[in-house]
Amino acid sequence: MAEYEFDLFVIGAGSGGVRAARMAASQGMRVAVAEDRYMGGTCVNVGCVPKKLFVYASGYSENFDDARAYGWKNSGANFDWPTLRDNNAKEISRLNGIYRNLLNNSGVTVIDGRASIADPHRVVVDGRDYTAERILVATGGWPFIPEIPGREFVLTSNEVFSMEAFPKRVLVVGGGYIAVEFAGIFAGLGADTHLSYRRDLFLRGFDRDIRNFVRDEVVKKGIDLKFNHQVKAIEKLQDGSLLVHDEDGSSLNVDTVLYATGRKANTVGLGLEQQGVVLHKDGTISVDDNFRTNVHSIYALGDVTGEPQLTPVALAEAMALVKHWRTGNTAEIDYNNIPTAVFCQPNIGTVGLSEEEARDSGISVTVFKSEFRPMRHTVSGNTERTLMKLVVDSSTDKVIGVHMVGDDAGEIIQGMAIALKAGATKKTFDETIGIHPTAAEEFVTMRAPVGS
Ligand SMILES: Cc1cc2nc3c(=O)[nH]c(=O)nc-3n(C[C@H](O)[C@H](O)[C@H](O)COP(=O)(O)OP(=O)(O)OC[C@H]3O[C@@H](n4cnc5c(N)ncnc54)[C@H](O)[C@@H]3O)c2cc1C
């Protein structure tokens, strides 16, 4: 008789947990996964998926305007929040079902409930004990709201997709990609939108040109950017609206405040401290190259272990971990050149080093840039512009950074990421024939450097 009930017990059926559970089961392991909220985790329920659907929804308002110059005589299009909210909820519950079926069909035992670790080989869910040779913690992250008076009145990305009513006036607090995306969503859907960020420019870590360019584009969409702005307290007024007080003594009256001020590792009540599992200062779980914690039988991956917090990274880690268990070789993950998109309007797509990162690490770079009005808007009259940028290592001619702000930047940069992974040089880009007429062809026709 086997010593343990399961070979692997996964805590959390999010991006990483589901992939690890299915892969491990397909290798013949006896696998259980516990989930206490929703199948598919953050990405499916309150992250990537609903966010992208809402971005689509918010783009229609401009599309209706743009269409007029193309001869479409539309008028009187009205946005109906309950339709979007409820159709989104329907789609998410369809996806929840798919995830559950995927697990069931892989032979994984699905346990609904909150899990905690009782000892290095024992997990408890709702008072029932399960034993496992290995335990994998894939519990993701949770929105963080700073301790300010009135924090109980604010929303986070967990609640925003299911709001009862759509607000007329919104303040989004934060400077990361989630804050910028939600400001775009609210503005596109018709809310009077403000964004508060405590530093001088949002999207820290992205290329400086991209950040400046997005700032200007976002302002064109009517979003009021409040940089170097610090919310001090939030007061609920009798009419139900919120009065936001800032450090400078001014105030802003809105209907909704959305905090997108970062996420913390979701480890509360897991029993990690009792097992002596080492955490980093920021609360994320410390793991080695094979996703193993300092406790031999306990592993962790995905957002709960820290940056980069992206679904494809959690998926890649899950696959690398199961492969490591199968082969005994070190889990192979290349964290370089991870492409990413920000679904603000227009989108950002980026892969590789920013110009600043390259210069700071002592690389001598040649920079190519192209900024233009996209073809669609030559007729529509929309003032939105596109920016494309290549960062090239001057000594090797290798392209080490590709950045874009413009329609479908995420789609375009995915292909660029393959080129970077393959070690493409600027000469390779130059020798590639463009697809005409597209915006993407600019990437293979940038001839004159703007700086080195
Ligand atoms: C608003 C928003 C937008 C995003 N947009 C993107 C995007 O466009 N692209 C992208 O790549 N990434 C995006 N992300 C990030 C992405 O969602 C995460 O990187 C990804 O979900 C991480 O997967 P994970 O498996 O580590 O954790 P999660 O997907 O968070 O899964 C963790 C699961 O564990 C469960 N759980 C936690 N504790 C317990 C417990 N004790 N017992 C049982 N179950 C438990 C949770 O309920 C959850 O289902 C976004 C995130 C947010 C918040």
Side-chain angles (χ1 to χ4, degrees), residues 249-303:
S250 61
S251 60
L252 179 72
N253 190 206
V254 293
D255 304 300
T256 296
V257 177
L258 172 72
Y259 262 73
T261 42
R263 292 170 67 79
K264 287 263 181 247
N266 197 357
T267 56
V268 176
L270 268 180
L272 294 174
E273 292 85 351
Q274 291 84 334
Q275 302 311 316
V277 172
V278 172
L279 306 180
H280 294 123
K281 251 195 190 144
D282 64 1
T284 54
I285 301 174
S286 170
V287 289
D288 66 14
D289 287 348
N290 293 320
F291 306 101
R292 188 177 234 157
T293 69
N294 59 308
V295 178
H296 213 63
S297 57
I298 302 178
Y299 293 76
L301 55 72
D303 282 11

CSV table of all heavy atoms in Angstrom, one decimal, residues 249-303:
chain,number,residue,atom,x,y,z
A,249,GLY,N,-4.4,68.7,0.6
A,249,GLY,CA,-5.5,69.4,1.2
A,249,GLY,C,-6.7,69.6,0.2
A,249,GLY,O,-7.7,70.1,0.6
A,250,SER,N,-6.5,69.2,-1.0
A,250,SER,CA,-7.6,69.3,-2.0
A,250,SER,C,-8.4,68.0,-1.9
A,250,SER,O,-8.1,67.0,-1.3
A,250,SER,CB,-7.1,69.6,-3.4
A,250,SER,OG,-6.3,68.5,-3.8
A,251,SER,N,-9.6,68.0,-2.6
A,251,SER,CA,-10.5,66.8,-2.5
A,251,SER,C,-11.2,66.6,-3.8
A,251,SER,O,-11.2,67.5,-4.7
A,251,SER,CB,-11.5,67.0,-1.4
A,251,SER,OG,-12.3,68.1,-1.6
A,252,LEU,N,-11.7,65.4,-4.0
A,252,LEU,CA,-12.3,65.0,-5.3
A,252,LEU,C,-13.5,64.2,-5.0
A,252,LEU,O,-13.4,63.3,-4.2
A,252,LEU,CB,-11.3,64.2,-6.1
A,252,LEU,CG,-11.7,63.7,-7.5
A,252,LEU,CD1,-11.8,64.8,-8.5
A,252,LEU,CD2,-10.7,62.6,-8.0
A,253,ASN,N,-14.6,64.6,-5.6
A,253,ASN,CA,-15.9,63.8,-5.3
A,253,ASN,C,-16.1,62.8,-6.5
A,253,ASN,O,-16.2,63.2,-7.6
A,253,ASN,CB,-17.0,64.9,-5.2
A,253,ASN,CG,-18.3,64.3,-4.7
A,253,ASN,OD1,-19.4,64.7,-5.0
A,253,ASN,ND2,-18.2,63.2,-4.0
A,254,VAL,N,-16.2,61.6,-6.1
A,254,VAL,CA,-16.4,60.5,-7.1
A,254,VAL,C,-17.5,59.5,-6.6
A,254,VAL,O,-17.8,59.6,-5.4
A,254,VAL,CB,-15.1,59.8,-7.5
A,254,VAL,CG1,-14.1,60.7,-8.2
A,254,VAL,CG2,-14.5,59.2,-6.3
A,255,ASP,N,-17.9,58.6,-7.5
A,255,ASP,CA,-18.8,57.6,-7.1
A,255,ASP,C,-18.1,56.3,-6.7
A,255,ASP,O,-18.6,55.5,-5.9
A,255,ASP,CB,-19.8,57.3,-8.3
A,255,ASP,CG,-20.5,58.6,-8.7
A,255,ASP,OD1,-21.2,59.2,-7.9
A,255,ASP,OD2,-20.3,59.0,-9.9
A,256,THR,N,-16.9,56.1,-7.4
A,256,THR,CA,-16.2,54.8,-7.1
A,256,THR,C,-14.7,55.1,-7.0
A,256,THR,O,-14.2,55.9,-7.8
A,256,THR,CB,-16.5,53.8,-8.3
A,256,THR,OG1,-17.8,53.5,-8.3
A,256,THR,CG2,-15.6,52.6,-8.1
A,257,VAL,N,-14.1,54.5,-6.1
A,257,VAL,CA,-12.6,54.5,-6.0
A,257,VAL,C,-12.1,53.1,-6.2
A,257,VAL,O,-12.5,52.2,-5.5
A,257,VAL,CB,-12.1,55.1,-4.7
A,257,VAL,CG1,-10.6,55.1,-4.6
A,257,VAL,CG2,-12.6,56.5,-4.5
A,258,LEU,N,-11.2,52.9,-7.2
A,258,LEU,CA,-10.6,51.6,-7.4
A,258,LEU,C,-9.2,51.6,-7.0
A,258,LEU,O,-8.4,52.5,-7.6
A,258,LEU,CB,-10.8,51.2,-8.9
A,258,LEU,CG,-10.0,50.0,-9.3
A,258,LEU,CD1,-10.7,48.7,-8.8
A,258,LEU,CD2,-9.9,49.9,-10.8
A,259,TYR,N,-8.8,50.8,-6.1
A,259,TYR,CA,-7.4,50.7,-5.7
A,259,TYR,C,-6.7,49.6,-6.5
A,259,TYR,O,-7.1,48.4,-6.5
A,259,TYR,CB,-7.2,50.5,-4.2
A,259,TYR,CG,-6.9,51.7,-3.5
A,259,TYR,CD1,-7.9,52.7,-3.3
A,259,TYR,CD2,-5.6,52.0,-3.0
A,259,TYR,CE1,-7.7,53.9,-2.6
A,259,TYR,CE2,-5.4,53.2,-2.4
A,259,TYR,CZ,-6.4,54.2,-2.2
A,259,TYR,OH,-6.1,55.3,-1.6
A,260,ALA,N,-5.6,50.0,-7.2
A,260,ALA,CA,-4.8,49.0,-7.9
A,260,ALA,C,-3.4,49.3,-7.5
A,260,ALA,O,-2.6,49.8,-8.3
A,260,ALA,CB,-5.0,49.1,-9.4
A,261,THR,N,-3.1,49.1,-6.3
A,261,THR,CA,-1.8,49.5,-5.7
A,261,THR,C,-0.9,48.3,-5.3
A,261,THR,O,-0.2,48.3,-4.3
A,261,THR,CB,-2.1,50.4,-4.4
A,261,THR,OG1,-3.1,49.8,-3.7
A,261,THR,CG2,-2.5,51.8,-4.8
A,262,GLY,N,-1.0,47.3,-6.1
A,262,GLY,CA,-0.2,46.1,-5.9
A,262,GLY,C,-0.9,44.9,-5.3
A,262,GLY,O,-2.0,45.0,-4.9
A,263,ARG,N,-0.2,43.8,-5.4
A,263,ARG,CA,-0.8,42.6,-4.8
A,263,ARG,C,0.2,41.9,-3.9
A,263,ARG,O,1.4,42.0,-4.0
A,263,ARG,CB,-1.1,41.6,-6.0
A,263,ARG,CG,-2.2,42.2,-6.9
A,263,ARG,CD,-2.4,41.4,-8.2
A,263,ARG,NE,-2.9,40.0,-8.0
A,263,ARG,CZ,-4.1,39.7,-7.7
A,263,ARG,NH1,-5.1,40.6,-7.6
A,263,ARG,NH2,-4.5,38.4,-7.6
A,264,LYS,N,-0.4,41.2,-2.9
A,264,LYS,CA,0.5,40.5,-1.9
A,264,LYS,C,0.3,39.0,-2.1
A,264,LYS,O,-0.8,38.6,-2.5
A,264,LYS,CB,0.0,40.9,-0.5
A,264,LYS,CG,0.4,42.3,-0.1
A,264,LYS,CD,1.7,42.3,0.8
A,264,LYS,CE,2.1,43.7,1.2
A,264,LYS,NZ,3.3,44.2,0.6
A,265,ALA,N,1.3,38.3,-1.7
A,265,ALA,CA,1.2,36.8,-1.8
A,265,ALA,C,0.1,36.3,-1.0
A,265,ALA,O,-0.1,36.8,0.1
A,265,ALA,CB,2.5,36.2,-1.4
A,266,ASN,N,-0.7,35.4,-1.5
A,266,ASN,CA,-1.9,34.9,-0.8
A,266,ASN,C,-1.5,33.7,0.0
A,266,ASN,O,-1.6,32.5,-0.4
A,266,ASN,CB,-2.9,34.5,-1.9
A,266,ASN,CG,-4.3,34.3,-1.4
A,266,ASN,OD1,-4.5,34.5,-0.2
A,266,ASN,ND2,-5.2,34.0,-2.3
A,267,THR,N,-1.0,34.0,1.2
A,267,THR,CA,-0.5,32.9,2.1
A,267,THR,C,-1.1,32.8,3.4
A,267,THR,O,-0.8,31.9,4.2
A,267,THR,CB,1.1,33.0,2.3
A,267,THR,OG1,1.3,34.3,2.8
A,267,THR,CG2,1.8,32.9,1.0
A,268,VAL,N,-2.1,33.7,3.6
A,268,VAL,CA,-2.7,33.8,5.0
A,268,VAL,C,-3.4,32.5,5.3
A,268,VAL,O,-4.2,31.9,4.5
A,268,VAL,CB,-3.7,35.0,5.1
A,268,VAL,CG1,-4.4,35.0,6.4
A,268,VAL,CG2,-3.0,36.3,4.8
A,269,GLY,N,-3.1,32.0,6.5
A,269,GLY,CA,-3.8,30.7,7.0
A,269,GLY,C,-3.3,29.4,6.3
A,269,GLY,O,-3.9,28.4,6.6
A,270,LEU,N,-2.3,29.5,5.5
A,270,LEU,CA,-1.8,28.3,4.8
A,270,LEU,C,-1.0,27.4,5.8
A,270,LEU,O,-0.8,26.2,5.5
A,270,LEU,CB,-0.9,28.7,3.6
A,270,LEU,CG,-1.6,28.8,2.3
A,270,LEU,CD1,-0.5,29.2,1.3
A,270,LEU,CD2,-2.3,27.5,1.9
A,271,GLY,N,-0.5,28.0,6.9
A,271,GLY,CA,0.3,27.2,7.8
A,271,GLY,C,1.7,27.1,7.4
A,271,GLY,O,2.5,26.3,7.9
A,272,LEU,N,2.2,28.0,6.6
A,272,LEU,CA,3.6,28.0,6.1
A,272,LEU,C,4.5,28.3,7.2
A,272,LEU,O,5.6,27.6,7.4
A,272,LEU,CB,3.8,29.0,5.0
A,272,LEU,CG,3.0,28.7,3.7
A,272,LEU,CD1,3.2,29.8,2.7
A,272,LEU,CD2,3.5,27.3,3.1
A,273,GLU,N,4.2,29.3,8.0
A,273,GLU,CA,5.1,29.7,9.1
A,273,GLU,C,5.3,28.5,10.1
A,273,GLU,O,6.4,28.2,10.5
A,273,GLU,CB,4.5,30.9,9.9
A,273,GLU,CG,4.5,32.2,9.1
A,273,GLU,CD,3.3,32.3,8.2
A,273,GLU,OE1,2.5,31.4,8.1
A,273,GLU,OE2,3.1,33.4,7.6
A,274,GLN,N,4.1,27.8,10.4
A,274,GLN,CA,4.2,26.7,11.4
A,274,GLN,C,5.1,25.6,10.8
A,274,GLN,O,5.8,24.9,11.6
A,274,GLN,CB,2.8,26.1,11.6
A,274,GLN,CG,1.9,27.1,12.4
A,274,GLN,CD,1.2,28.1,11.6
A,274,GLN,OE1,1.7,28.5,10.5
A,274,GLN,NE2,0.0,28.5,12.0
A,275,GLN,N,5.2,25.5,9.5
A,275,GLN,CA,6.0,24.4,8.9
A,275,GLN,C,7.5,24.9,8.8
A,275,GLN,O,8.3,24.2,8.3
A,275,GLN,CB,5.5,24.0,7.6
A,275,GLN,CG,4.1,23.4,7.6
A,275,GLN,CD,3.9,22.4,8.7
A,275,GLN,OE1,4.7,21.5,8.9
A,275,GLN,NE2,2.8,22.5,9.4
A,276,GLY,N,7.7,26.2,9.1
A,276,GLY,CA,9.0,26.8,9.0
A,276,GLY,C,9.4,27.1,7.5
A,276,GLY,O,10.6,27.2,7.2
A,277,VAL,N,8.4,27.3,6.6
A,277,VAL,CA,8.7,27.6,5.3
A,277,VAL,C,9.2,29.1,5.2
A,277,VAL,O,8.6,30.0,5.8
A,277,VAL,CB,7.5,27.5,4.3
A,277,VAL,CG1,7.8,28.0,3.0
A,277,VAL,CG2,7.1,26.0,4.3
A,278,VAL,N,10.4,29.3,4.6
A,278,VAL,CA,11.0,30.6,4.5
A,278,VAL,C,10.2,31.5,3.5
A,278,VAL,O,10.0,31.1,2.4
A,278,VAL,CB,12.5,30.5,4.2
A,278,VAL,CG1,13.1,31.9,3.9
A,278,VAL,CG2,13.2,29.8,5.3
A,279,LEU,N,9.9,32.7,4.0
A,279,LEU,CA,9.2,33.7,3.1
A,279,LEU,C,10.2,34.8,2.9
A,279,LEU,O,11.0,35.1,3.7
A,279,LEU,CB,7.9,34.2,3.7
A,279,LEU,CG,6.9,33.2,4.2
A,279,LEU,CD1,5.7,34.0,4.8
A,279,LEU,CD2,6.4,32.4,3.0
A,280,HIS,N,10.1,35.5,1.7
A,280,HIS,CA,10.8,36.8,1.5
A,280,HIS,C,10.2,37.9,2.4
A,280,HIS,O,9.0,37.7,2.9
A,280,HIS,CB,10.8,37.2,0.0
A,280,HIS,CG,11.5,36.2,-0.9
A,280,HIS,ND1,10.9,35.6,-1.9
A,280,HIS,CD2,12.8,35.8,-0.8
A,280,HIS,CE1,11.8,34.8,-2.5
A,280,HIS,NE2,12.9,34.9,-1.9
A,281,LYS,N,10.9,39.0,2.4
A,281,LYS,CA,10.4,40.2,3.2
A,281,LYS,C,9.0,40.6,2.7
A,281,LYS,O,8.2,41.0,3.5
A,281,LYS,CB,11.3,41.3,3.0
A,281,LYS,CG,12.1,41.6,4.2
A,281,LYS,CD,12.8,43.0,4.1
A,281,LYS,CE,13.8,43.2,5.2
A,281,LYS,NZ,14.9,44.0,4.7
A,282,ASP,N,8.7,40.5,1.4
A,282,ASP,CA,7.4,41.0,0.9
A,282,ASP,C,6.3,39.9,1.0
A,282,ASP,O,5.2,40.1,0.5
A,282,ASP,CB,7.6,41.4,-0.6
A,282,ASP,CG,8.0,40.2,-1.5
A,282,ASP,OD1,8.1,39.1,-1.0
A,282,ASP,OD2,8.1,40.5,-2.7
A,283,GLY,N,6.7,38.8,1.7
A,283,GLY,CA,5.6,37.8,1.9
A,283,GLY,C,5.6,36.7,0.9
A,283,GLY,O,4.9,35.7,1.1
A,284,THR,N,6.3,36.8,-0.2
A,284,THR,CA,6.3,35.8,-1.2
A,284,THR,C,7.2,34.6,-0.7
A,284,THR,O,8.0,34.8,0.1
A,284,THR,CB,6.9,36.3,-2.6
A,284,THR,OG1,8.2,36.9,-2.4
A,284,THR,CG2,6.0,37.3,-3.2
A,285,ILE,N,6.9,33.4,-1.3
A,285,ILE,CA,7.6,32.2,-0.8
A,285,ILE,C,8.9,32.0,-1.5
A,285,ILE,O,9.0,32.2,-2.7
A,285,ILE,CB,6.7,31.0,-1.1
A,285,ILE,CG1,5.4,31.1,-0.4
A,285,ILE,CG2,7.4,29.7,-0.6
A,285,ILE,CD1,4.4,30.0,-0.7
A,286,SER,N,9.9,31.8,-0.7
A,286,SER,CA,11.3,31.6,-1.3
A,286,SER,C,11.4,30.1,-1.8
A,286,SER,O,11.2,29.2,-1.1
A,286,SER,CB,12.3,31.8,-0.2
A,286,SER,OG,13.6,31.5,-0.6
A,287,VAL,N,11.8,30.0,-3.1
A,287,VAL,CA,12.0,28.7,-3.6
A,287,VAL,C,13.4,28.6,-4.3
A,287,VAL,O,13.9,29.6,-4.7
A,287,VAL,CB,10.9,28.3,-4.6
A,287,VAL,CG1,9.6,28.0,-3.9
A,287,VAL,CG2,10.8,29.3,-5.7
A,288,ASP,N,13.8,27.4,-4.6
A,288,ASP,CA,15.1,27.2,-5.3
A,288,ASP,C,14.8,27.1,-6.8
A,288,ASP,O,13.6,27.2,-7.2
A,288,ASP,CB,15.9,26.0,-4.8
A,288,ASP,CG,15.2,24.7,-5.0
A,288,ASP,OD1,14.3,24.6,-5.8
A,288,ASP,OD2,15.7,23.7,-4.4
A,289,ASP,N,15.8,26.7,-7.6
A,289,ASP,CA,15.6,26.6,-9.1
A,289,ASP,C,14.5,25.6,-9.5
A,289,ASP,O,14.0,25.6,-10.6
A,289,ASP,CB,16.9,26.3,-9.8
A,289,ASP,CG,17.8,27.5,-9.8
A,289,ASP,OD1,17.4,28.6,-9.4
A,289,ASP,OD2,19.0,27.3,-10.1
A,290,ASN,N,14.3,24.6,-8.6
A,290,ASN,CA,13.3,23.6,-8.8
A,290,ASN,C,12.0,23.8,-8.1
A,290,ASN,O,11.2,22.9,-7.8
A,290,ASN,CB,13.9,22.2,-8.5
A,290,ASN,CG,15.0,21.9,-9.4
A,290,ASN,OD1,15.0,22.1,-10.6
A,290,ASN,ND2,16.1,21.3,-8.8
A,291,PHE,N,11.8,25.1,-7.7
A,291,PHE,CA,10.5,25.5,-7.1
A,291,PHE,C,10.3,24.8,-5.7
A,291,PHE,O,9.2,24.7,-5.2
A,291,PHE,CB,9.3,25.3,-8.0
A,291,PHE,CG,9.5,25.9,-9.3
A,291,PHE,CD1,9.9,25.2,-10.4
A,291,PHE,CD2,9.3,27.3,-9.5
A,291,PHE,CE1,10.1,25.8,-11.6
A,291,PHE,CE2,9.5,27.9,-10.7
A,291,PHE,CZ,9.9,27.2,-11.8
A,292,ARG,N,11.4,24.4,-5.1
A,292,ARG,CA,11.3,23.7,-3.8
A,292,ARG,C,11.5,24.7,-2.7
A,292,ARG,O,12.5,25.5,-2.8
A,292,ARG,CB,12.3,22.6,-3.8
A,292,ARG,CG,12.2,21.7,-2.6
A,292,ARG,CD,13.2,20.6,-2.7
A,292,ARG,NE,12.6,19.3,-2.6
A,292,ARG,CZ,13.2,18.2,-3.0
A,292,ARG,NH1,14.3,18.2,-3.6
A,292,ARG,NH2,12.6,17.0,-2.9
A,293,THR,N,10.7,24.7,-1.7
A,293,THR,CA,11.0,25.6,-0.5
A,293,THR,C,12.0,24.9,0.3
A,293,THR,O,12.5,23.8,0.0
A,293,THR,CB,9.7,25.8,0.3
A,293,THR,OG1,9.4,24.5,1.0
A,293,THR,CG2,8.5,26.2,-0.5
A,294,ASN,N,12.3,25.5,1.5
A,294,ASN,CA,13.4,24.9,2.4
A,294,ASN,C,12.8,23.7,3.0
A,294,ASN,O,13.6,22.9,3.6
A,294,ASN,CB,13.8,26.0,3.4
A,294,ASN,CG,12.7,26.5,4.2
A,294,ASN,OD1,11.6,26.9,3.7
A,294,ASN,ND2,12.8,26.4,5.5
A,295,VAL,N,11.5,23.5,3.0
A,295,VAL,CA,10.9,22.2,3.5
A,295,VAL,C,10.8,21.2,2.3
A,295,VAL,O,10.1,21.5,1.3
A,295,VAL,CB,9.5,22.5,4.2
A,295,VAL,CG1,8.9,21.1,4.7
A,295,VAL,CG2,9.7,23.5,5.3
A,296,HIS,N,11.5,20.1,2.4
A,296,HIS,CA,11.8,19.2,1.3
A,296,HIS,C,10.6,18.9,0.5
A,296,HIS,O,10.6,18.8,-0.7
A,296,HIS,CB,12.4,18.0,1.9
A,296,HIS,CG,13.4,17.4,1.0
A,296,HIS,ND1,14.5,18.0,0.6
A,296,HIS,CD2,13.4,16.2,0.3
A,296,HIS,CE1,15.2,17.2,-0.2
A,296,HIS,NE2,14.5,16.1,-0.4
A,297,SER,N,9.4,18.6,1.1
A,297,SER,CA,8.2,18.1,0.4
A,297,SER,C,7.3,19.2,-0.1
A,297,SER,O,6.3,19.0,-0.7
A,297,SER,CB,7.5,17.2,1.3
A,297,SER,OG,7.1,17.8,2.4
A,298,ILE,N,7.6,20.5,0.2
A,298,ILE,CA,6.7,21.6,-0.1
A,298,ILE,C,7.3,22.5,-1.2
A,298,ILE,O,8.5,22.9,-1.1
A,298,ILE,CB,6.4,22.5,1.1
A,298,ILE,CG1,5.8,21.6,2.2
A,298,ILE,CG2,5.5,23.6,0.8
A,298,ILE,CD1,5.5,22.3,3.5
A,299,TYR,N,6.6,22.6,-2.3
A,299,TYR,CA,7.0,23.4,-3.5
A,299,TYR,C,6.0,24.6,-3.6
A,299,TYR,O,4.9,24.6,-3.1
A,299,TYR,CB,6.9,22.5,-4.7
A,299,TYR,CG,7.9,21.4,-4.8
A,299,TYR,CD1,7.7,20.2,-4.0
A,299,TYR,CD2,9.0,21.4,-5.6
A,299,TYR,CE1,8.6,19.2,-4.0
A,299,TYR,CE2,9.9,20.4,-5.6
A,299,TYR,CZ,9.7,19.3,-4.8
A,299,TYR,OH,10.6,18.2,-4.9
A,300,ALA,N,6.5,25.6,-4.4
A,300,ALA,CA,5.6,26.7,-4.7
A,300,ALA,C,5.9,27.3,-6.1
A,300,ALA,O,7.1,27.2,-6.5
A,300,ALA,CB,5.7,27.8,-3.6
A,301,LEU,N,4.9,27.8,-6.7
A,301,LEU,CA,5.2,28.5,-8.0
A,301,LEU,C,4.1,29.5,-8.3
A,301,LEU,O,3.1,29.6,-7.6
A,301,LEU,CB,5.3,27.5,-9.2
A,301,LEU,CG,4.2,26.5,-9.4
A,301,LEU,CD1,3.0,27.1,-10.0
A,301,LEU,CD2,4.7,25.4,-10.4
A,302,GLY,N,4.3,30.3,-9.4
A,302,GLY,CA,3.4,31.3,-9.8
A,302,GLY,C,3.5,32.6,-9.0
A,302,GLY,O,4.6,32.9,-8.4
A,303,ASP,N,2.4,33.4,-8.9
A,303,ASP,CA,2.5,34.7,-8.3
A,303,ASP,C,2.9,34.6,-6.8
A,303,ASP,O,3.5,35.6,-6.3
A,303,ASP,CB,1.1,35.3,-8.3
A,303,ASP,CG,0.8,35.9,-9.7
A,303,ASP,OD1,1.5,35.7,-10.6
A,303,ASP,OD2,-0.3,36.6,-9.8
